[in-house]
Amino acid sequence: MNRSLSGLLPGRSSQPGKRVLPGFALSLGVSLFFISIVLLLPLTGLIMQTADMGWERYWAVVTDERVIASYKVTLWAAALASIINGLVGLLLAWVLVRYDFPGKRIMDALIDLPFALPTAVAGITLTALFAADGWYGQIFSLFDIKVAFTPLGIIVAMSFTSLPFVVRTVQPVLEDLAPEDEEAAVSLGATDWTVFRRILFPAMWPALMTGVALSFTRSLGEFGAVIFIAGNMPYVSEIISLMIFVRLQEFDHAAASAIASVVLIASLILLLGINLWQARYLRRLHGR
Amino acid sequence: MHERKAMRAGDQPWVKWSLIALAFAVTMLMLVIPLVIIFKQAFAAGGANYWANLTDTYTMHAIGLTLLVAALTVPINLVFGVMLAWLVTRFDFPGRKVLITLIDIPFAVSPVVAGLLYLLLYGSNGWLGSWLMDQDVQLMFSWPGIVMVTVFVTCPFVARELIPLMQQQGREEEEAGVVLGATGWQLFRRITLPNIQWALLYGVVLTNARAVGEFGAVSVVSGNIRGETNTLSLHVELLYQDYNVVGAFASASLLAGIALITIVVKSFVEWRQARQRAPLDDQSDNR
């Protein structure tokens, strides 16, 4: 009992090596078991499959012309989609945090729709809207622009499915911003643009970058929404995930695994990068 | 902000209202109209046709399978999510950060890659799959495989909702409970659960939404056998490719309904949390 009282002292609640709360062994056991079985064990299949291939065949598969074209389309579309989401997300986050207006709560709630809506549903809906006879497609066709069944459609689908990321990362930062600097600047006659550039943007850009990076990562892997609207023309509008799928349907498991390993490594590096970036940025915030 | 008169950036009425108008336009175009289109298309051939589409044998089977997948996935990830959140927020140990990063893997990995990982391991060519085959167990291209990849894809949601909240709430309350002689279960039931119930609810709802709607991973391991391994999401695709657009949107409208429930629950949970937090903030001011 005496030992556990140390946990009641304010500040650091428990000393290292002294675990006050129960359930350590149980929760550690369950978590490690689950993570090993569900997340790590399946990796062994991929590793064995690609190890069997030999370097030359692996290299030939992942640098195949059609596959290279799919990397390019996916990267370009994801980059443009996440830039669009950076701008749109910044606007939505700003409006939701800074202003009061009727319908604000509904707008706030609706932002999460792309996360909640199954991607296949998003895919067929966007296709219906952007097809030549759809509501949006008709308007675009006036300008002779085709969106559905072209790479533009991929960008549309990716921006839709990853729209909430930037809003949800920027919102809390904007809310926590202390108003003093800004008020001082405004009362001294600074324009809105100057205040935004010199005070607001420096405070929120780490969050903005995190949101854009998350949006980019999600877009790289997006499959369901994209395949309906992309048209899936080899060399033109075929994304990487679909490339893996195509190889699988040709029963070429080795080729599918090779391409998947490239995607997997790229996304793990991105994930690690985002985590490190966030850790650095959080430390800076607490260091203040 | 209530009594302060000082101007902040963007407070001029014309800036304010044009930005609000722009945000409304974006919300309408990107979110509201797509939502409307789903229901408009679903009812394009009338209510009777809509009903006929939903009560179609294959659609009913897809609904049943989807419910089964969610009913198995959600409890598994609920238990795991709570355990992991308890572990990483209540104890310090080496490797804690690694665990928190590992749990994000399903968010970063393309669903098709996720499905492929399972297919390579448990499929007839995989080292585990070929052994299972000898025991006459087939997991891929049947419903257990669908459940397995869905568990993979949805496992971060509950933990991701709980970890920041439990971190912020700290350990003091539970530690006081231990000092007063509570058992582990009592601690969880009486102290932890009331504190996290709303975040937990949202985590469950998110897990459910994704479990019901998962497409990429499931389509790799399902084999798309109509009336057998077709989930609702896959059924939408199948109908769409059969040029049965109205039928596809009828099934899609069910999924959109679940999505709408999800965002309503989220708003409710945020409102409850804001109310729960308000008295806490007052306390910390008095300290």
Side-chain angles (χ1 to χ4, degrees):
Chain A
M1 270 309 190
N2 259 341
R3 198 180 55 149
S4 35
L5 277 171
S6 68
L8 288 174
L9 297 173
R12 254 189 89 83
S13 49
S14 53
Q15 288 165 18
K18 291 186 180 176
R19 294 198 174 95
V20 178
L21 295 172
F24 179 70
L26 176 70
S27 58
L28 183 71
V30 170
S31 300
L32 286 184
F33 176 76
F34 185 94
I35 287 176
S36 318
I37 297 290
V38 173
L39 297 180
L40 301 178
L41 181 67
L43 290 173
T44 59
L46 183 81
I47 294 168
M48 286 169 75
Q49 183 72 252
T50 42
D52 277 353
M53 287 177 81
W55 178 248
E56 256 171 51
R57 168 124 162 75
Y58 179 86
W59 188 250
V61 168
V62 299
T63 58
D64 175 74
E65 227 182 307
R66 188 169 157 196
V67 177
I68 297 264
S70 78
Y71 299 142
K72 281 187 187 159
V73 174
T74 313
L75 286 170
W76 269 112
L80 289 170
S82 42
I83 291 170
I84 294 171
N85 279 344
L87 297 171
V88 172
L90 193 56
L91 168 76
L92 291 173
W94 176 267
V95 167
L96 286 172
V97 171
R98 283 316 200 56
Y99 306 135
D100 275 315
F101 53 92
K104 174 172 159 165
R105 289 187 73 145
I106 298 176
M107 186 189 282
D108 196 6
L110 272 174
I111 305 273
D112 284 311
L113 181 71
F115 283 172
L117 196 69
T119 53
V121 177
I124 63 168
T125 309
L126 293 171
T127 310
L129 276 171
F130 283 95
D133 58 348
W135 288 1
Y136 297 171
Q138 284 173 350
I139 300 171
F140 278 106
S141 60
L142 293 179
F143 304 97
D144 232 10
I145 301 172
K146 274 190 192 156
V147 178
F149 315 121
T150 71
L152 279 183
I154 303 178
I155 299 174
V156 166
M158 286 176 172
S159 336
F160 177 83
T161 48
S162 60
L163 176 73
F165 282 113
V166 172
V167 187
R168 296 307 183 213
T169 48
V170 172
Q171 235 175 347
V173 176
L174 267 180
E175 265 162 13
D176 287 347
L177 224 55
E180 287 82 11
D181 291 353
E182 214 185 312
E183 284 168 2
V186 173
S187 68
L188 292 172
T191 62
D192 279 1
W193 175 237
T194 313
V195 174
F196 181 80
R197 214 164 36 99
R198 307 286 288 272
I199 297 171
L200 297 173
F201 192 73
M204 62 192 179
W205 78 275
L208 182 65
M209 285 305 294
T210 308
V212 170
L214 288 171
S215 166
F216 181 72
T217 311
R218 170 72 198 259
S219 297
L220 283 185
E222 185 47 47
F223 177 70
V226 173
I227 57 158
F228 290 96
I229 200 172
N232 307 327
M233 294 231 312
Y235 298 98
V236 179
S237 57
E238 214 173 33
I239 55 163
I240 307 180
S241 296
L242 180 68
M243 216 45 246
I244 299 170
F245 205 80
V246 168
R247 291 287 179 260
L248 260 182
Q249 287 187 324
E250 292 164 353
F251 297 104
D252 193 345
H253 284 201
S257 318
I259 303 169
S261 70
V262 173
V263 178
L264 187 67
I265 290 167
S267 38
L268 291 183
I269 290 174
L270 268 170
L271 172 68
L272 203 65
I274 295 172
N275 271 326
L276 290 175
W277 165 260
Q278 272 180 316
R280 213 190 72 165
Y281 155 61
L282 285 178
R283 198 176 314 140
R284 236 178 38 193
L285 271 186
H286 290 302
R288 255 197 326 206
Chain B
M1 245 208 284
H2 310 290
E3 286 168 38
R4 203 179 285 127
K5 290 257 161 60
M7 292 279 281
R8 299 174 70 179
D11 277 354
Q12 284 157 290
W14 73 272
V15 177
K16 175 180 168 180
W17 290 107
S18 23
L19 288 177
I20 292 175
L22 204 57
F24 259 105
V26 167
T27 314
M28 278 310 274
L29 289 173
M30 292 185 79
L31 302 168
V32 178
I33 291 181
L35 201 53
V36 170
I37 275 285
I38 298 171
F39 291 95
K40 185 185 166 281
Q41 296 270 19
F43 286 97
N49 180 281
Y50 177 75
W51 186 247
N53 272 322
L54 289 190
T55 48
D56 167 82
T57 323
Y58 291 130
T59 310
M60 292 299 279
H61 188 276
I63 294 172
L65 179 60
T66 304
L67 291 177
L68 172 74
V69 170
L72 289 171
T73 304
V74 171
I76 293 173
N77 281 335
L78 172 68
V79 171
F80 162 68
V82 171
M83 287 286 181
L84 184 78
W86 179 263
L87 179 70
V88 300
T89 62
R90 295 298 179 254
F91 305 105
D92 294 311
F93 57 95
R96 192 177 147 265
K97 289 231 167 79
V98 179
L99 282 187
I100 299 180
T101 305
L102 279 178
I103 185 67
D104 274 341
I105 288 179
F107 278 168
V109 169
S110 164
V112 173
V113 175
L116 178 71
L117 291 177
Y118 275 77
L119 186 64
L120 291 174
L121 178 63
Y122 294 102
S124 51
N125 295 325
W127 64 268
L128 199 53
S130 51
W131 179 80
L132 285 170
M133 194 89 131
D134 295 338
Q135 322 299 313
D136 231 10
V137 178
Q138 195 200 351
L139 298 174
M140 294 297 109
F141 308 119
S142 64
W143 68 265
I146 298 176
V147 174
M148 288 159 77
V149 293
T150 310
V151 168
F152 175 93
V153 170
T154 58
C155 72
F157 286 106
V158 171
R160 272 278 147 233
E161 285 304 313
L162 293 185
I163 291 172
L165 182 70
M166 288 173 69
Q167 194 90 59
Q168 181 207 335
Q169 286 171 344
R171 309 166 186 177
E172 284 82 2
E173 285 184 47
E174 281 113 353
E175 284 171 348
V178 171
V179 174
L180 296 172
T183 64
W185 176 244
Q186 282 174 327
L187 274 187
F188 180 75
R189 226 358 235 104
R190 311 281 281 269
I191 301 174
T192 313
L193 195 58
N195 278 335
I196 63 169
Q197 55 186 342
W198 300 112
L200 189 62
L201 172 68
Y202 184 50
V204 164
V205 169
L206 268 182
T207 307
N208 180 62
R210 184 69 194 267
V212 164
E214 177 49 33
F215 178 76
V218 169
S219 70
V220 172
V221 301
S222 135
N224 289 45
I225 308 162
R226 215 181 274 240
E228 267 181 57
T229 60
N230 223 18
T231 63
L232 208 45
S233 257
L234 296 177
H235 192 57
V236 168
E237 185 204 18
L238 215 87
L239 293 172
Y240 194 78
Q241 284 175 344
D242 285 350
Y243 299 102
N244 183 356
V245 175
V246 177
F249 274 100
S251 291
S253 71
L254 292 180
L255 294 167
I258 293 170
L260 282 176
I261 294 172
T262 307
I263 60 180
V264 168
V265 170
K266 186 190 177 190
S267 304
F268 173 73
V269 164
E270 277 176 350
W271 174 72
R272 285 302 305 230
Q273 278 179 338
R275 265 186 25 165
Q276 215 169 33
R277 214 173 292 132
L280 278 178
D281 285 349
D282 290 347
Q283 269 177 13
S284 61
D285 284 346
N286 293 338
R287 240 175 243 163

